[in-house]
Amino acid sequence: MNTERTIMALPLSGKVCLVTGATRGIGRGIALQLGEAGATVYITGRTLKPKSDGKAGTSGSLTTTAEEIEARGGKCIPVQCDHADDEQVKQLFEQISKEQNGRLDVLVNNAYAAVSLLTEQYGKKFWEVSPNTWDTVNNVGLRCHYIASWYAAKMMVPAKQGLMINVSSPGGLNYLFNVAYGVGKAACDRMAADCAFELKKSNVAFISLWPGAVKTEIFEETILSDKADNFPDGFLDVFQFGESVEYPGKAVACLAQDKNIMKKSGRVLLTAELGEEYGFTDIDGSNPLNFRQIKSLLKMSGHPWLAAMTPGFLKIPFWLWSISASKF
């Protein structure tokens, strides 16, 4: 009986996962949930250990995340890796293949180098900042996703199973932050769709995941700092209805368990929609903001009484949402 309960409590036992950029933020939250579900989780980042004072700070560290995962009973293997360096990425996948006998079940492309830059440059036009902004945003944040997926495919395709996920954003549909950001996120979505097309016959799924407003360490720090003045009225208010970094992690853990995952391959999926489908809530028991739900939008815009009267099933249709960004 105890064995049965253990198996039920660890639905991802035996699975091998890789989460890139997992020292902080969404990557950390995803790694925590995968580890808690029983997977062996490889995590990457540039910072191996906390600062000399023992604190991880908003930059986080691999060892801090690994310790959190193991404290929950999970297994974590931290690998210091700069995803701007193709050789380091090659060595990462060679290590996983060697240690796991060629097995990799889940790849989460989350590494991103431009978080601080986006807050610092918010409100500035593309010609008002360095052209190097493009490389900062889309090297570790788009190109590195392609490279990691290339290596992962060479492990998953022969096994005829696997799941790859690009952590993307509604910025791939409508303007958000800056030009380089939007182009990069739109490319992440298209990359997932096109890779899914080529991987379909190999039974390997590829999905683009859109979290909502996420209360990451750096955004919480921004809200409490002078930098908050750079954002328009109402922008930061969205985060009070946002999700924790572990909510996307719950979504990924559920996707990794989905026996019909190929039906979702090639699609853009919202964390809030997955919460409704799979029946999970955030770590505090709340249901975070759903950008498609009329009820959530009314609540966010300061009309709680009207939101309370609005049925939760009323949503903006996907076709209407996407047509607003149509290029034709």
Side-chain angles (χ1 to χ4, degrees):
M1 183 64 70
N2 289 336
T3 301
E4 290 179 0
R5 279 201 294 265
T6 300
I7 293 174
M8 291 177 65
L10 300 175
L12 295 181
S13 179
K15 298 285 188 180
V16 179
C17 305
L18 167 61
V19 183
T20 70
T23 59
R24 62 179 179 180
I26 295 172
R28 171 178 157 269
I30 292 174
L32 287 171
Q33 284 295 317
L34 289 174
E36 189 172 306
T40 295
V41 187
Y42 284 80
I43 59 173
T44 68
R46 291 177 296 177
T47 306
L48 180 61
K49 297 181 179 180
K51 298 176 182 178
S52 57
D53 59 5
K55 298 180 180 180
T58 56
S59 62
S61 75
L62 289 170
T63 54
T64 301
T65 301
E67 288 169 359
E68 288 185 82
I69 292 172
E70 290 172 357
R72 299 186 185 193
K75 181 179 180 181
C76 181
I77 302 171
V79 181
Q80 191 170 22
C81 177
D82 182 351
H83 283 269
D85 187 333
D86 290 354
E87 183 58 31
Q88 291 187 37
V89 176
K90 177 184 178 182
Q91 293 173 6
L92 163 68
F93 281 90
E94 287 176 346
Q95 177 181 342
I96 296 173
S97 182
K98 180 179 179 181
E99 295 176 353
Q100 303 301 328
N101 296 316
R103 178 166 188 166
L104 179 62
D105 298 283
V106 179
L107 165 67
V108 181
N109 287 315
N110 174 74
Y112 200 67
V115 177
S116 298
L117 183 71
L118 293 175
T119 59
E120 292 168 1
Q121 295 187 353
Y122 190 86
K124 295 182 179 179
K125 306 299 188 291
F126 75 89
W127 65 88
E128 296 174 336
V129 298
S130 168
N132 292 332
T133 293
W134 176 275
D135 296 320
T136 303
V137 173
N138 290 321
N139 186 4
V140 178
L142 174 60
R143 182 184 183 278
C144 74
H145 294 354
Y146 181 83
I147 300 301
S149 300
W150 186 88
Y151 282 107
K154 290 184 175 296
M155 298 174 70
M156 294 179 177
V157 168
K160 297 292 183 180
Q161 66 87 36
L163 169 63
M164 302 189 212
I165 297 174
N166 279 351
V167 176
S168 188
S169 156
L173 183 65
N174 296 107
Y175 183 87
L176 183 63
F177 294 117
N178 62 28
V179 172
Y181 180 85
V183 173
K185 293 306 181 184
C188 279
D189 297 339
R190 182 56 186 265
M191 174 185 159
D194 287 2
C195 286
F197 180 82
E198 295 189 353
L199 289 165
K200 185 176 182 179
K201 292 183 179 179
S202 299
N203 196 44
V204 176
F206 207 129
I207 287 166
S208 191
L209 184 68
W210 285 8
V214 184
K215 300 174 184 177
T216 63
E217 301 90 340
I218 195 164
F219 268 104
E220 289 190 334
E221 181 185 67
T222 299
I223 292 171
L224 299 175
S225 72
D226 295 337
K227 296 178 183 178
D229 297 334
N230 297 331
F231 296 93
D233 293 339
F235 183 88
L236 295 178
D237 292 340
V238 175
F239 286 86
Q240 69 176 306
F241 305 113
E243 56 202 64
S244 75
V245 296
E246 292 192 52
Y247 191 71
K250 289 191 172 189
V252 171
C254 286
L255 289 170
Q257 298 171 52
D258 194 326
K259 297 185 183 302
N260 297 310
I261 192 63
M262 291 304 296
K263 292 183 178 180
K264 290 181 168 63
S265 188
R267 294 172 52 193
V268 171
L269 302 177
L270 283 65
T271 54
E273 299 276 314
L274 292 172
E276 294 175 15
E277 178 183 349
Y278 292 121
F280 63 84
T281 60
D282 210 337
I283 54 176
D284 62 358
S286 67
N287 292 301
L289 176 73
N290 184 339
F291 291 118
R292 284 213 310 132
Q293 189 181 55
I294 305 299
K295 185 183 188 76
S296 291
L297 294 174
L298 288 170
K299 182 179 179 181
M300 180 186 69
S301 60
H303 299 87
W305 61 273
L306 191 55
M309 297 170 59
T310 305
F313 63 81
L314 292 178
K315 297 178 180 179
I316 300 171
F318 279 117
W319 66 264
L320 183 60
W321 198 9
S322 62
I323 204 171
S324 67
S326 175
K327 310 299 186 298
F328 298 97

